[in-house]
Amino acid sequence: MNSPRAALRSIFLSRTAAITVGALMLIAAGTLSYLLAERAALRNQGSAAQERLNLLASTLDYTIGRYSYLPDVLSQAAPIIEAFRHPENPDAIRAANLYLKRLNETADSADLYIVDSDGIALAASNFDRENTFVGQSYAFRPYFTDALITGKGRYYAVGVTTGQPGYFLWHAVPDADGNTIGVAVVKIDLMHLQDDWRSAGDVVAMVDDNEVIFLTTDPQWLYRPMSPLSDPQVRMFRETQQYGGAVLRANPLLSGEREIDGVMVENIDDGSVTGHEYVAFSRTLPQYDWTLFVLSDMRTIQGQAGLVAGGAVVTMIAAMLIVLVTHQRRQIMRAKMNAHTILEQRVAARTAELTAANSQLSVEIDQRIRIEQNLRRAQDNLIHATKMASLGQALAGVAHEINQSLAALRTYIASTQIFLERTDKDRAAANLTTISSVVERMGELTQHLKSFARKETVAKQSTDLVAAVRYGLKLIDYRVTADDVRLTVLQPDEPVYVVANTIRLEQVVVNLVSNALDAMRDHPNRNLTVEIFQGGNNVAVLEVSDTGRGIPGDFLNSVFDPFYTTKEVGEGLGLGLSISYGIVKDMGGDITVESEQDVGTTFRITLPLAAQVTAPAETGA
C-alpha cells in the first residue's frame, strides 16, 4: 500500500527539486548577466566619455586661445597708454574708447576695458551703452589685485555691471619706468559652449577650483557647489561677487556617491526623495584650475544591463526547454522500443492496447514537434530584435540630414496646437497633412541606411524642380516670415523635370534658403530671390540669391569644404554646403557660388533635364 504513495512522493519531490534548481539557475544567470553587462556598459561609457572630454577640452583651449593675445596687445596699444597718461583728457579717453570698440568688434570678444591703479574703469568697448563699464569700480575683483602683483592672469565671474558671465583675461599696463599704471581686461563669452555640449545628450559641467559649477548643459545645476561651502569660501564669494548671490543661495549638488568597478556613481540632489544617479567621468584642466565633467544617466546603463539580463534569462529558458524536449523524446523512443518488444511477445493478446498506446505516443510526438517549432520562431525573433537594436544605434549617422526636417516638424506641431486651441480645424488639418508628408520623407530617408559598411545608394528619377522648390520653401516658410524677409520666386508656369532624387533635392533647397536667411539676419535690407529657368546644354538652373553679408573673396573657394562656416561658434558645423555639394554632384549636376561682401550671395545649381517624363515623382506628397 505504501509503495505507490512513496513512488508518487518521490516523483513529486524530484520535480519540485528540479523546478527549484532551475529557478535558482535562472536567477543566478540573470543576476550575473546584469552585473557583467552593467560593468561592460560602464567601461564602454568611460571610453566614450574620455574621448568626448578630450574633444571638449580641445574646443575650450581653442576658444580661449583665440583671445589670449588681446590683453598683451591692449597693454602696448598707443591709445591705451595715452589714456593712462592723461586720464583727464577727454580726447585721449574718447580715442581709447573708440579703439577698444573697434578691436572688440574685430576680435568678436564680449567686452574690452581698462582700469586705472585705483580700480576705476577709464575706457571700455561698451562706452556708448547704458550699462557701460566706464566709471565703475572693479577694485574688489581678484583680477585687479592680482594684476598689480603678478602682471597678468585669468578669472571667470558674472559681470557686476551687465549681469552676464564671462572669462576675464587681464594684463598689467606698465609706464616707461616699468611701474604698473593700470590693467587691461578682456572678457570672453563661453556660454555658447553649453549649446555645443547639449548635442550628445549627456550632462556636461565645468567646475572651478572651489567646486562650483559655472558652465553646464543643465540650467538647474548652474552656480551650484558640488559639496557644502566652507566659511572661508562663503566670505570669498561675498567679497568678490564672483557669481553674484546665486552660489550662496544654492544647495550642494551631490548628496552621496558609490563606486562600481572603479567608476564613481554620484547621487545628484534634484529635489526628489532619493535623488538621481549619474556616472561621473572627469578631466582636470590645470591651466585653468578647472575640472570638466561628463555625467551619464545611470538609468540608461541599468536599462541596457536589464535588457542583456533578460536576454540571458530567455536564452537559458530556451536551452532548458531544449534539454527537456530532448529528454522527453528519448523517453518516448525508449518506450516505443519497449512497446515493440512487448508487441513481439504478446501480439495476439495486446493488439488493441498497443494500438491505443501507439496513438497516444504519436500525439505526444506531434506536441513536442510543435514546441520545437515555437521555440525556433522565438529564437529567430530574438536574433532579429538584437539586429534591429544594433541598426538603431547606427541611425545616429543620419541625424544631421534630418535635423532641418525635425525643426520644421516642431514648428508645425506648435502651430497646429495653436490652431486647435482656436478651433481652426482647416488650418490644423493642413498642418497635419504637411507633418505627415515630412514624416514620410524622413522615413524614406532613413531606409537608405542598409548597413554600417555599405555606401548609401540614392535612386534618381524624373523630378519636378518647380514642385521640389515649392515644397522646400514651404518647410522653411516659418523662418521667412519670422525674419521679415521679402521672398520673390521666379519660375515657369509649367513643370521643369530634371534627373534627381526628390527628397535630396528638397534638402538642398532647404539648406540654401536657410543659409541665405542666416546671412541676412543682421541686415536691414532682407530680400530673398529664388529663380528657376532652363539654360543651354539641356540643363535646368536654380538660383538662390540673398542680400546678406556676403562671403569674402578669399574664402569663396572654401565654402563647399567640410566644416567651413562663417557663422558664429555654436551655430553650425559647416557641413550643410558640403553635403549639398555632394548631393548635386551625385545627381549629375553642378553648384557654384558668386558673392560680394555686404551686397549679397547667389548660389547657382544646374541639373540635367529629364529626357522623357513617363511617371514623374511626387514631391512633398
Side-chain angles (χ1 to χ4, degrees):
M1 295 293 294
N2 294 331
S3 179
R5 293 182 179 179
L8 291 174
R9 182 178 180 184
S10 177
I11 294 174
F12 175 77
L13 291 176
S14 62
R15 290 183 177 179
T16 302
I19 294 173
T20 303
V21 171
L24 291 175
M25 291 176 62
L26 289 176
I27 294 173
T31 303
L32 180 60
S33 300
Y34 178 86
L35 294 176
L36 293 176
E38 183 181 58
R39 279 153 178 75
L42 286 174
R43 288 193 296 271
N44 295 336
Q45 190 72 19
S47 299
Q50 290 303 323
E51 292 179 2
R52 191 177 180 204
L53 284 169
N54 292 336
L55 179 60
L56 295 177
S58 299
T59 303
L60 177 68
D61 290 339
Y62 171 75
T63 301
I64 296 177
R66 291 175 53 198
Y67 306 96
S68 59
Y69 69 95
L70 282 177
D72 188 57
V73 170
L74 290 178
S75 67
Q76 302 179 38
I80 302 304
I81 299 298
E82 189 66 19
F84 278 120
R85 289 176 177 173
H86 304 288
E88 74 287 345
N89 188 340
D91 294 334
I93 298 300
R94 175 174 176 76
N97 282 329
L98 294 176
Y99 173 78
L100 291 173
K101 182 176 182 179
R102 287 193 300 269
L103 184 57
N104 186 61
E105 293 173 350
T106 303
D108 197 23
S109 51
D111 290 295
L112 304 176
Y113 59 100
I114 58 175
V115 180
D116 65 14
S117 58
D118 294 325
I120 305 300
L122 293 179
S125 57
N126 62 355
F127 71 95
D128 53 355
R129 298 180 188 173
E130 183 177 351
N131 57 347
T132 179
F133 296 163
V134 177
Q136 300 292 333
S137 175
Y138 297 98
F140 63 91
R141 284 296 201 191
Y143 62 74
F144 173 73
T145 55
D146 290 349
L148 297 179
I149 300 172
T150 63
K152 59 181 179 180
R154 304 178 175 197
Y155 184 69
Y156 191 93
V158 176
V160 295
T161 303
T162 63
Q164 297 299 318
Y167 190 45
F168 295 84
L169 309 177
W170 66 83
H171 195 289
V173 180
D175 58 13
D177 298 328
N179 298 319
T180 299
I181 57 176
V183 181
V185 185
V186 177
K187 182 179 180 182
I188 307 171
D189 182 11
L190 299 182
M191 296 298 288
H192 62 84
L193 294 176
Q194 299 176 142
D195 298 329
D196 297 337
W197 295 349
R198 291 190 180 96
S199 60
D202 289 337
V203 178
V204 180
M206 188 76 75
V207 180
D208 65 10
D209 55 345
N210 289 304
E211 295 190 344
V212 174
I213 299 173
F214 62 91
L215 286 175
T216 177
T217 55
D218 191 332
Q220 295 182 355
W221 295 14
L222 192 61
Y223 304 133
R224 290 183 67 178
M226 301 286 281
S227 56
L229 297 174
S230 64
D231 291 340
Q233 288 176 321
V234 171
R235 288 193 297 271
M236 182 273 294
F237 282 123
R238 285 176 177 170
E239 293 172 359
T240 62
Q241 301 181 40
Q242 183 176 2
Y243 302 119
V247 68
L248 300 176
R249 296 188 300 268
N251 295 324
L253 184 68
L254 304 183
S255 59
E257 63 182 13
R258 61 190 177 99
E259 183 177 340
I260 301 179
D261 199 18
V263 178
M264 297 307 300
V265 179
E266 306 288 352
N267 191 286
I268 303 301
D269 182 7
D270 58 358
S272 64
V273 176
T274 59
H276 193 166
E277 284 191 329
Y278 285 85
V279 184
F281 304 96
S282 64
R283 173 175 172 173
T284 303
L285 306 177
Q287 65 272 39
Y288 309 110
D289 286 335
W290 298 342
T291 302
L292 183 60
F293 283 88
V294 171
L295 299 101
S296 303
D297 196 330
M298 189 62 185
R299 290 179 296 188
T300 301
I301 295 175
Q302 291 170 340
Q304 296 173 355
L307 290 176
V308 173
V313 170
V314 171
T315 303
M316 193 165 184
I317 291 174
M320 295 173 67
L321 289 175
I322 291 174
V323 172
L324 177 61
V325 170
T326 303
H327 176 69
Q328 289 180 339
R329 290 194 65 182
R330 288 178 178 176
Q331 287 183 329
I332 292 171
M333 295 303 297
R334 189 178 297 112
K336 291 176 72 174
M337 292 178 64
N338 293 335
H340 181 69
T341 302
I342 294 174
L343 282 172
E344 288 181 347
Q345 297 175 352
R346 303 179 181 180
V347 173
R350 303 292 301 272
T351 301
E353 181 181 353
L354 290 175
T355 301
N358 224 6
S359 299
Q360 181 63 29
L361 290 174
S362 298
V363 171
E364 290 182 5
I365 292 173
D366 292 339
Q367 290 177 348
R368 299 302 179 268
I369 292 174
R370 286 195 295 272
I371 291 174
E372 288 182 346
Q373 292 174 345
N374 292 335
L375 177 60
R376 192 174 296 110
R377 282 194 294 269
Q379 290 174 323
D380 292 341
N381 290 336
L382 180 60
I383 294 173
H384 179 69
T386 304
K387 290 181 180 178
M388 291 303 295
S390 299
L391 181 60
Q393 296 176 359
L395 287 175
V398 300
H400 177 79
E401 297 182 23
I402 66 175
N403 185 54
Q404 292 178 335
S405 296
L406 289 174
L409 280 178
R410 286 194 295 268
T411 301
Y412 276 108
I413 290 172
S415 62
T416 301
Q417 293 174 337
I418 295 175
F419 292 149
L420 289 176
E421 292 174 357
R422 299 175 178 175
T423 66
D424 191 347
K425 297 182 179 179
D426 294 338
R427 299 180 71 179
N431 271 13
L432 291 174
T433 301
T434 304
I435 291 172
S436 177
S437 66
V438 174
V439 171
E440 290 176 1
R441 287 196 296 274
M442 290 169 59
E444 294 171 0
L445 180 61
T446 57
Q447 291 178 2
H448 294 305
L449 189 62
K450 294 182 178 179
S451 67
F452 297 119
R454 285 186 292 182
K455 181 179 179 182
E456 179 187 10
T457 59
V458 180
K460 292 186 290 185
Q461 54 191 349
S462 178
T463 300
D464 183 7
L465 178 59
V466 175
V469 170
R470 180 171 65 253
Y471 285 104
L473 289 174
K474 189 173 182 179
L475 290 176
I476 206 71
D477 180 66
Y478 72 100
R479 282 202 56 194
V480 175
T481 303
D483 292 349
D484 194 21
V485 175
R486 179 181 300 170
L487 173 63
T488 303
V489 180
L490 305 176
Q491 61 185 31
D493 295 332
E494 300 295 329
V496 177
Y497 292 101
V498 296
V499 179
N501 176 274
T502 304
I503 301 298
R504 297 294 189 176
L505 186 56
E506 290 185 21
Q507 178 186 350
V508 171
V509 172
V510 171
N511 184 267
L512 294 181
V513 173
S514 296
N515 286 344
L517 295 175
D518 291 340
M520 296 186 293
R521 183 179 300 166
D522 299 325
H523 281 240
N525 182 25
R526 294 186 285 273
N527 294 320
L528 175 62
T529 303
V530 179
E531 183 176 5
I532 303 172
F533 59 92
Q534 294 189 16
N537 299 322
N538 200 30
V539 298
V541 180
L542 167 63
E543 291 186 351
V544 179
S545 304
D546 63 70
T547 58
R549 56 177 174 265
I551 304 172
D554 295 339
F555 300 113
L556 280 177
N557 294 330
S558 304
V559 294
F560 298 113
D561 292 341
F563 302 106
Y564 172 82
T565 179
T566 59
K567 299 178 182 178
E568 299 292 335
V569 175
E571 293 186 359
L573 295 176
L575 292 175
L577 287 178
S578 176
I579 291 175
S580 297
Y581 181 86
I583 292 173
V584 174
K585 287 295 185 180
D586 288 342
M587 292 189 295
D590 193 18
I591 180 171
T592 58
V593 59
E594 296 177 0
S595 182
E596 184 176 352
Q597 202 161 2
D598 295 326
V599 174
T601 303
T602 297
F603 283 89
R604 181 177 294 105
I605 296 176
T606 58
L607 294 170
L609 291 171
Q612 58 183 358
V613 181
T614 56
E618 287 185 42
T619 305

